[in-house]
Structure formats: C-alpha cells, structure tokens
Amino acid sequence: MNISQQISTTPFLDQKPGTSGLRKAVTVFQQPHYLENFIQSIFDSLEDLQGQTLVLGGDGRYYNRQAIQIILKMAAANGVGRIKVGQGGILSTPATSCIIRKYQALGGIILSASHNPGGPDGDFGVKYNISNGGPAPEKVTEAMYARSKVIDRYQILEAPDVDLETLGESRMGDMVIEVIDSVEDYEKLMESLFDFDRIRQLLTSGNFRMCMDTLHAVAGPYAHAIFEQRLGAPAGTVRSGIPLEDFGGGHPDPNLVYAHELVDILYGENAPDFGAASDGDGDRNMILGRKFFVTPSDSLAVLAANAKLVPGYSSGLAGVARSMPTSQAVDRVAAQIGIECYETPTGWKFFGNLLDANKATLCGEESFGTGSNHVREKDGLWAVLFWLNIIAVRQQSVEQIVREHWKTYGRNYYSRHDYEGVDTDQANTLMENLRSLVPTLKGKQFGKYQVEYSDDFSYTDPIDGSVSNKQGIRIGFTDGSRIVVRLSGTGTQGATLRIYLENYESDPAKHDLDTQQALASLITLAEQIGQIRNSVGREQPTVIT
Ligand code: G16
C-alpha cells in the first residue's frame, strides 16, 4: 500500500521559466524541495489533472533518472491517471511533442537544459509542454511562476523506484506507468513525412557519405535507429551516439564552435558529402556540406523553397514563420511563393498558435532550430531528413543547392556574436541605454547606412491577441541590413548578450565573401552605436556563430 504524503515547504523565489523552461545548475535543483516545489507548481496550475495522461522523459543528462523517479511519485500523489515515460528516462523534445499529440495527452514534462553542458557541475532543466505538443505559452508559465512564489506544500507518494528499463505497464498507487520505446512513434512520424525509399537509395548508393554527430546526447538512439538501421547508412555514420550524463564532457550545442569534431571531419581530407549535428535534447540541428556551413537562417529558407520536393509538404506551405533575430532570407522565399511570413519573438512557444491555426507550416530560428506543423517543437533529425530528401531528389551537393538559392534570392550574410556570462547589471544598463537611443535613430546616417526604423520589438499574437513587449532592440537600415541586440533567456550564469548582424547582397559576384568580412562595417557600427565592449568590459565575443 503506497502512502501519499503532504510535505511542507517554503517557496524559492527564482523559479521563473525563461525562453525554454526553468534552467538552473544541477546543484540548485538538488537542493531539498527545489524540484518538488516547481513540479507541484506545474501540477497546481493545470486544470483537470485528475485521471489525465502525461508524457515524461528527458535528455539523459545527470539527475535525469533521479528527477524522473521523484516526478512519477508526485504525479501519482496528484491524481494523474497515466504516465508514458521513455525507456531509461529518455525522450527527445520533438519525440515528446509527437507522443503528446498522438495519444492526446494533457501535456508532458521534459527534463533538459537543452544545449547547456551537463554533469554534476552542469545544468538541469524542466520544461512543460501543453496538449498541442508545444512549449507552454507565457500565460501558463506565468501561472506556474506565480504559484511557485506562494507554495507551502507538495504531494508525493511513498513508493519504491520504478524500473525504467523494461517496456510495459505497471502501477503506482492508482496511476498507470507505461514505459514506452523512446524512438518508435517518432520514427513512424518521420516515415509519414519523408521519402524513405529515396533517402535509402541515396545513403546506400556508394556515392554519398554522411556523418551525423549526436554529441553524446539524446538524439543518438533516434539517429542509430533511423539512419543506420532503417535507412541503411553504414554503421559508424552516427558519431557519439550513446547518451552520456555529462555528454562526454562536451557542450551539446550543434554549432561551429562546440561541434568542432564534426566540423574538422567535414573540412578535412576525404570529407563526407553531408554532415549534421543535434543538441542535448534533439531539437536543434546544424547542417554542413563538404567544406561548407549552412547558416540556420539559410537552412530555413532552403527548406521552404524546396518543400514541394518532400512528400509531407508537396501540397505547399500555408505560411512560414521566423523569430525576429533570424535573418530575412526566408522572407524572400515567402514573397516569391506568395505566402505569409510571420516574425515572432525568440522562443518556439510563439510559433504554437500560428501552427495550430494553420497560418504557418514551417518555422525556424537562427539558434539552429527548424521545424514544422508535424509537431509543436523544433526538430533536429527532422531537419536532417528534410535535407537528405531534397538532396536525394535534386542529386546536387549541399553547396550547389545553397549557391543556387543565393543566385535566385540573393544572400543574407548573417552572424551572431555572443558575450556570455557578463555582469547582469552591466548588461541591463546597456539595454536601457539602447532603449533610450532607439527613438532618436530613425533617419540618421552612419557612413553608408541610413536608419530606416529602430524599436524595441513588440509582438501581438495574431491568433489570441496577447502582447509580448521588450523582445529586443532592432535597428534596420534602408538597404535591408539589420542590427539586433537582446539578452538571452536561456543562460544560467550572469547575462548573455546577443548581437545579431545581417547584410543583404543581391549580386552573385559578391556571394563568396567571408561572412565576418562581409559584415565588418556593420560590426563596427554596432559597436559604435551600442558601446558594447566598453559597457560589458570585454575585448571580444565569447562565441561567434
Ligand atoms: C531555446 C528556445 C529557442 C531559442 C533559443 C535561444 O532553445 O527554445 O526558441 O531561440 O533557446 O534563446 P535565447 O536567445 O533566449 O538564449 P533550446 O534549444 O535551448 O530549447
């Protein structure tokens, strides 16, 4: 007989979810009652939890297993009817979204700090996704935060730990626990969207080699199952495919800096034709050709322009959406196809309403995220399969496809400069100073650049009318170039300042420049207007992508 206990607690005042859930150092989550308080705050802010189905899993990082056992016991004590939990506690973020939707669950809890490092000294995180499969919108996360500030008790069942390795059902109190295959439902969904036969021909033709680096994170089992077992790619195609609690000591972020082993392979001797990487929880992706990097903004634009070649999208796109700092490359594709392009704040949660209302089919962000209406999350392996499907149909290299794209639409040179771990007060002061400058900039001339508009981006959701203010400073110039400055909502130490730079070039003769060179005068101008390095006391950015 399991006994439900009511435990007294006191609030922690720092449980405000950021861009993507609550992210903190593992040591913060390990404090007595910390995780429990936040989970109870989630449960307390959900209506009709009694008897409902939830989905639960995580990216396998340190503390994943312990947290899952705690959450199962709390769910049982809070009257949840059924929990579908990934085998070994493993579920990627897009797979969770897929499973919530497929089985019409009330929602899901995803344990991940995404691309942040893991291990005892790394980060941990909790995200809640709603019944459409997408990240909880702001009004839901605000309710959780409000509850966390006044919480004085939580419910937990006294029960033995659950075996997470064996597939099948068991009971904890009145709740059914179903340990499910982490990959199966997701793989079926991918098969319904892409031409697996054609991709298999490509991967087994002997003329095409790919390398997929899952960075010892959650996408490993999915990539092994789909690329090697299902689509016939040779064993070894997937690198670092076993999820490790500390991601092998690496930073599970698929960009040129942190996925450098993959970059070395794709830029080395006898390089494969295609390279890709995914992040901690499997929702981000990086695409590489042989000695060729595809910026995430260009990737979104290429997918949009070629969507008709892919079975799941052959009837065309309802519209596209990108986050505000993402380059405007996809806008040009949308204009030519004659569909709407929506500009939202940073954060996948802002795409949910557009996808639900069938206003947008494809969405993407500069932060290595692309996805579609097949789930309500960005989806790393989906993007890789989309690229493979296009390559299989067009029989061209990644570089040829992107270069032809630039020829047709022009090239949006694009880069993001991050200053990580800066002093929070200094970062806030810099943003305040920029905010006060914004109204004075319109019409001003800076060398060859004339300011066409400048504002602090505000978004009114076209579906529910909700307004999100202060989403980042935009300075747009008459030639289509832009400087965007905002503070990250996903860091866990100090503040991370992000400077986004974009320069449009229509002339194909000028499509071969080095990106940082092409943006050099804009980089200088950003510094001149924002006084960035002085304000945060840094000589140069921490990461340039
Ligand atoms: C999260 C969000 C993304 C966002 C990214 C960067 O990604 O889901 O929508 O673009 O963070 O956000 P920020 O610039 O505020 O740090 P992930 O992969 O960490 O969940």
Side-chain angles (χ1 to χ4, degrees), residues 43 46 74 110 207 217 305 374 387 399 423 432 453 472 498 524 543:
F43 289 157
L46 299 176
M74 290 186 65
I110 305 169
N207 301 322
H374 69 291
W387 267 95
E399 179 168 354
D423 180 82
E432 279 316 314
Y453 63 88
R498 304 205 196 281
T524 310
V543 179

Side-chain angles (χ1 to χ4, degrees), residues 23-26 59 61-62 112-125 215 217 244-253 258 279-280 420 490-493:
R23 267 183 215 177
K24 301 281 174 194
V26 166
D59 65 10
R61 68 178 57 226
Y62 185 81
S112 173
S114 188
H115 52 287
N116 295 19
D121 300 322
D123 289 337
F124 191 74
L215 300 172
L244 298 176
E245 288 198 329
D246 65 349
F247 307 114
H251 204 124
D253 199 355
Y258 294 122
D279 74 332
E420 292 177 346
T490 55
T492 53
Q493 271 153 20

Side-chain angles (χ1 to χ4, degrees), residues 18-21 23 93 112-116 127 135 253-254 279-284 323 325-326 345-351 364-369 377-378 416 418 486-491 496 498 500:
T19 308
S20 188
R23 267 183 215 177
T93 289
S112 173
S114 188
H115 52 287
N116 295 19
K127 306 192 274 187
D253 199 355
D279 74 332
D281 60 332
D283 56 3
R284 296 184 174 203
S323 67
T326 302
T346 294
W348 206 263
K349 58 191 169 210
F350 292 102
F351 294 136
E365 296 186 277
E366 51 68 38
S367 54
F368 294 81
E377 285 280 3
K378 54 187 185 272
R416 185 176 102 186
D418 291 341
R486 62 179 280 279
L487 295 180
S488 157
T490 55
T496 294
R498 304 205 196 281
Y500 310 82

Side-chain angles (χ1 to χ4, degrees), residues 48-88:
D48 302 332
L49 183 63
Q50 300 305 308
Q52 292 276 8
T53 298
L54 290 180
V55 180
L56 174 63
D59 65 10
R61 68 178 57 226
Y62 185 81
Y63 201 53
N64 195 50
R65 283 174 179 271
Q66 295 91 317
I68 284 188
Q69 299 292 350
I70 292 170
I71 295 168
L72 287 173
K73 291 169 195 174
M74 290 186 65
N78 277 276
V80 172
R82 173 180 288 263
I83 280 216
K84 286 174 171 287
V85 55
Q87 190 176 24

Side-chain angles (χ1 to χ4, degrees), residues 97 100-101 128-137 348-349 352 375-377:
S97 187
I100 293 171
R101 292 169 66 76
Y128 184 75
N129 280 28
I130 59 174
S131 59
N132 74 352
W348 206 263
K349 58 191 169 210
V375 289
R376 293 293 181 273
E377 285 280 3

Side-chain angles (χ1 to χ4, degrees), residues 25-348:
V26 166
T27 47
V28 173
F29 269 103
Q30 284 173 323
Q31 297 172 87
H33 309 313
Y34 193 91
L35 174 70
E36 291 86 344
N37 274 18
F38 189 64
I39 296 297
Q40 188 67 50
S41 301
I42 294 177
F43 289 157
D44 286 350
S45 28
L46 299 176
E47 285 164 22
D48 302 332
L49 183 63
Q50 300 305 308
Q52 292 276 8
T53 298
L54 290 180
V55 180
L56 174 63
D59 65 10
R61 68 178 57 226
Y62 185 81
Y63 201 53
N64 195 50
R65 283 174 179 271
Q66 295 91 317
I68 284 188
Q69 299 292 350
I70 292 170
I71 295 168
L72 287 173
K73 291 169 195 174
M74 290 186 65
N78 277 276
V80 172
R82 173 180 288 263
I83 280 216
K84 286 174 171 287
V85 55
Q87 190 176 24
I90 292 286
L91 279 181
S92 76
T93 289
T96 309
S97 187
C98 155
I99 293 164
I100 293 171
R101 292 169 66 76
K102 182 165 178 177
Y103 298 101
Q104 293 164 4
L106 177 71
I109 296 175
I110 305 169
L111 305 175
S112 173
S114 188
H115 52 287
N116 295 19
D121 300 322
D123 289 337
F124 191 74
V126 179
K127 306 192 274 187
Y128 184 75
N129 280 28
I130 59 174
S131 59
N132 74 352
E138 268 178 346
K139 63 174 187 309
V140 177
T141 54
E142 280 304 320
M144 291 168 183
Y145 177 46
R147 181 70 195 136
S148 77
K149 288 191 287 190
V150 295
I151 193 164
D152 59 1
R153 46 97 218 144
Y154 62 83
Q155 305 271 120
I156 188 161
L157 208 69
E158 211 174 66
D161 280 359
V162 174
D163 168 14
L164 294 174
E165 302 308 321
T166 312
L167 296 180
E169 290 189 3
S170 61
R171 270 187 179 270
M172 182 186 273
D174 292 333
M175 183 177 82
V176 176
I177 298 175
E178 191 184 346
V179 178
I180 58 170
D181 185 295
S182 310
V183 178
E184 199 177 294
D185 289 311
Y186 178 80
E187 185 176 333
K188 282 190 185 141
L189 178 60
M190 292 303 109
E191 190 178 5
S192 74
L193 297 171
F194 299 108
D195 190 338
F196 269 28
D197 289 340
R198 221 153 173 170
I199 299 175
R200 189 181 300 105
Q201 276 168 23
L202 176 75
L203 294 177
T204 55
S205 64
N207 301 322
F208 183 88
R209 280 181 302 132
M210 80 174 266
C211 181
M212 172 84 218
D213 194 338
T214 52
L215 300 172
H216 284 303
V218 79
Y222 297 83
H224 275 299
I226 295 175
F227 298 120
E228 295 183 1
Q229 283 151 28
R230 190 63 196 280
L231 294 170
T237 296
V238 178
R239 286 174 51 83
S240 307
I242 296 173
L244 298 176
E245 288 198 329
D246 65 349
F247 307 114
H251 204 124
D253 199 355
N255 61 38
L256 294 175
V257 177
Y258 294 122
H260 56 88
E261 285 180 14
L262 178 75
V263 175
D264 289 348
I265 292 171
L266 268 292
Y267 281 77
E269 287 298 305
N270 193 23
D273 303 273
F274 181 79
S278 55
D279 74 332
D281 60 332
D283 56 3
R284 296 184 174 203
N285 74 90
M286 175 171 71
I287 302 293
L288 299 170
R290 185 181 289 150
K291 298 188 172 40
F292 194 83
F293 166 63
V294 186
T295 67
S297 299
D298 276 351
S299 179
L300 172 65
V302 169
L303 300 192
N306 290 279
K308 286 210 163 159
L309 305 180
V310 174
Y313 307 90
S314 57
S315 57
L317 307 175
V320 289
R322 64 165 172 83
S323 67
M324 180 273 282
T326 302
S327 101
Q328 300 162 100
V330 74
D331 302 38
R332 295 180 181 275
V333 177
Q336 197 168 104
I337 308 178
I339 55 173
E340 199 66 40
C341 177
Y342 296 88
E343 184 177 40
T344 65
T346 294
W348 206 263

